[in-house]
Amino acid sequence: MHVVVNAAQSVDGKLATRRREQLRISGPEDFDRVDRVRAAADAVLVGVGTVLADDPHLTLDEEDRRVQRLRNGRPGHPARVVVDSRGRTPTDARILDDAATTYLLVSAATTEERRAALEAAGGEVVAVEPETDDGHVDLAAGFAALADRGVDRLMVEGGGEVIYSCFAADLVDELHVYVGSMVIGGRGAPTLADGEGFTEAFPRLDLTDAERFDDGVVLSYEVRDDAS
């Protein structure tokens, strides 16, 4: 599986305010770029925190791209994936509508009753085993389960906890970051990669492109095989 992480952050590396409020960091040009990246993916992944905070739909904006996917024998929209260890996705979340397949990666912490409710709401629950020591979804096992379902190219849109976990599990192949011309600040504001942080081995990247969109810049990287 090829994994592409995409994110938008402020100059000081924040994804949102310390109140976890959604901000418009980029603009129309970058929104179109993100739509193109989505159109090339088999599935788009977020963490449950993003679902709870933003209620995203994660479908394509441009009808022409949806039509082109259909002409190529693919679903009109990429599948949607939520990393949701405890099954906290609301049953009325937009991501559970019938616009596209939605996979919910859950751990043993999600009860059978909750799994049934999510299935009834339109999701396809994928129980990931084994779970990590802290009861969270093991992403490597979760990604393998997605690959078994035909996901060859996965786009990860965040948030910071999920992005960090992807890097920690050595699952990321590419990183694209839109850096907007604003400062957000705040010690508790989410960053591109939250989690516990790295202290010894650090993911290393090779800058492959830098391109201006709107009033910001998109930095594109390939992830090296070695960490140091």
Side-chain angles (χ1 to χ4, degrees):
M1 179 188 293
H2 191 85
V3 178
V4 179
V5 172
N6 185 84
Q9 66 176 34
S10 61
V11 169
D12 57 327
K14 308 296 185 180
L15 303 182
T17 71
R18 61 183 176 82
R19 297 175 180 172
R20 308 276 165 165
E21 296 165 333
Q22 187 178 24
L23 290 174
R24 181 168 171 162
I25 295 176
S26 63
E29 292 178 356
D30 188 58
F31 293 157
D32 185 67
R33 178 193 65 83
V34 172
D35 202 56
R36 281 190 279 110
V37 178
R38 280 184 184 173
D42 297 308
V44 180
L45 179 145
V46 296
V48 67
T50 297
V51 174
L52 294 172
D54 301 337
D55 193 23
H57 201 210
L58 300 184
T59 52
L60 299 179
D61 294 329
E62 288 295 326
E63 178 67 10
D64 287 348
R65 291 178 182 136
R66 188 186 72 82
V67 170
Q68 187 60 49
R69 285 175 59 95
L70 291 171
R71 287 175 177 167
N72 292 335
R74 307 172 72 191
H77 298 287
R80 301 166 295 191
V81 183
V82 184
V83 180
D84 188 6
S85 300
R86 295 171 177 78
R88 294 188 294 148
T89 297
T91 54
D92 62 349
R94 293 201 303 156
I95 206 169
L96 291 177
D97 67 11
D98 60 2
T101 300
T102 299
Y103 299 111
L104 299 157
L105 303 184
V106 306
S107 73
T110 301
T111 66
E112 290 296 334
E113 180 181 14
R114 186 61 185 164
R115 295 182 193 188
L118 292 170
E119 292 269 7
E124 182 173 331
V125 174
V126 180
V128 180
E129 297 180 1
E131 63 187 26
T132 62
D133 292 339
D134 58 4
H136 291 161
V137 167
D138 182 308
L139 286 183
F143 284 17
L146 293 175
D148 289 342
R149 289 162 173 78
V151 177
D152 294 322
R153 186 176 181 88
L154 180 66
M155 179 184 183
V156 177
E157 293 200 19
E161 295 286 343
V162 165
I163 292 175
Y164 167 79
S165 296
C166 288
F167 274 107
D170 195 25
L171 296 170
V172 182
D173 297 291
E174 298 178 37
L175 171 65
H176 303 278
V177 184
Y178 179 89
V179 182
S181 300
M182 64 189 304
V183 174
I184 296 175
R187 295 185 186 90
T191 66
L192 177 71
D194 286 335
E196 296 180 2
F198 300 102
T199 58
E200 296 179 359
F202 303 92
R204 296 293 184 178
L205 315 175
D206 289 320
L207 181 66
T208 59
D209 196 13
E211 188 174 2
R212 180 165 183 163
F213 287 87
D214 304 307
D215 193 29
V217 61
V218 174
L219 303 176
S220 297
Y221 300 89
E222 291 182 354
V223 180
R224 298 180 188 175
D225 292 334
D226 60 319
S228 58

